[in-house]
Amino acid sequence: MRKAEVVVVWFRRDLRLEDNVAFYHAVQSGYPILPLFIFDKDILEQFSQVEDRRVQYIHEHIVKINDELKKYNSGILCYHSTVSQVFEQLTDNYLIKAVYSNEDYEPQAIQRDREVASFLQRKNIPFYQYKDHVIFRGGEILKQDGTAYQVYTPYAKKWRSLLTENHLFDYSVGLEKALFHHFQSDIISLEQLGYRSSENRKITNEIDLAIISTYDQYRDYPGIKGTSLLGTALRFGTISIRKCVRIALKENDVWLSELIWREFFSQIMYLYPTVEKHCFKSKYEGIKYRNNEEDFLAWCEGNTGYPLVDAGMRELNATGFMHNRVRMVVASFLVKHLLIDWRWGEAYFAQQLLDYDLASNNGNWQWVAGCGCDAAPYFRIFNPTEQAKKFDKDGSYMDKWVPEWRELYYRQPIVEHKFARERALEVFKEGLKEY
Ligand code: FAD
């Protein structure tokens, strides 16, 4: 039988059909499109819990894309396999004219794409990759002397000065104009993948304009719904970053600054991949952390006796989300008050956060620990009680997650603030001196 001629659109961190650069270019090719998604066995090994909110989120969006494509007698071809096996099989079954995908800047993904590129090259199949996940990829925003920015403020200034209309182009194409390969796809179930569905809080991929327009006023108060909650959508590309920036430019400049932080950390991970495992500022490798496992467990479970820290950790455990202000407080508490290596906290967040993103998580943990580029100085130690008074004045956030915090019998703090502060200053000073 003659093989069908197709172009493959390989979806990864861009789980949407709207305003998707790779999909747009595949449509322009004029060949029938074969949409593809791979539940990569090599990656799923890292998601070992039976209930994983992220796998469930991805699954839901693949089903959604598949349902949308059914209207055009098509679907998304979905595999549970390794990437190399899938491409072997696809090239056996189809006459592939080209493969289209959007760039992914994480070290593991870059390696995977290199291998796919060389496999496809051996078969004479072009592999087109596009910038879709960010406005500026690593290496596009550089200092006058050609080196990378390691400080956010000048980076953001340059980012803004280089932004043009072209960067914000809307790549949406009417699906009725696209030519799809006709087939029927049944998406493998979550259970077949080895997961169980859990109650997934509804995760938005819609922009709430009322929130964005008042973002600068309310973003710091965890008891108020004052932030976009779009982290997960941005992570998995169920919303387009260009759409967010178009709206930020109109509605709220402070929100735009946050989107630029995301790109700042993305370029750091891309240009300095050693930060994945090591401190950006190597002298911080000299800090002698206590790494007490019992303290770590108390922190993970939200049992430190500091109600704001406990509220944050319990919110994280229950929902997969934590407000940014509280993320900073719990992270500082772990690293400074408990003297536990930031990598332990980073790994715990990586397991729990729905919006987990390697570059943003790592960048922010290193920022809090003082060892990152443009990081908070080591002597900046949040006082969790004062933070609660300032940012959760009426206690409504703590009431929600730690209802017993107002009671007399609420647990004793795991460590006294003043003592912990002085201990941290001492350990950091010594560690930085010795290295
Ligand atoms: P909004 O406040 O509405 O901001 C809009 C978007 O801008 C976010 O969705 C996110 O994509 C981006 N953004 C905002 N703040 C930051 C920031 N400081 N750094 C990078 N991007 C930012 N963010 C992640 O997306 N993934 C992570 O794994 C992650 N880990 C973090 C770990 C720690 C210790 C800390 C202090 C922060 C972390 N952040 C992370 C940044 C920030 O807390 C979240 O992006 C934010 O809370 C998500 O809520 P939102 O979608 O309502 O964001």
Side-chain angles (χ1 to χ4, degrees), residues 34-53:
L34 177 64
L36 166 73
F37 183 79
I38 305 169
F39 281 102
D40 185 344
K41 279 192 170 159
D42 292 336
I43 293 181
L44 284 187
E45 270 174 17
Q46 298 160 20
F47 297 83
S48 51
Q49 292 162 327
V50 256
E51 282 183 11
D52 189 285
R53 300 183 186 106

Side-chain angles (χ1 to χ4, degrees), residues 215 227-231 255 258 324 327 355 357 361 364:
Y215 181 78
T227 69
S228 70
L229 301 179
L230 285 170
W255 197 55
E258 298 306 323
N324 180 59
R327 289 187 204 197
D355 65 22
D357 174 80
N361 196 42
N364 278 287

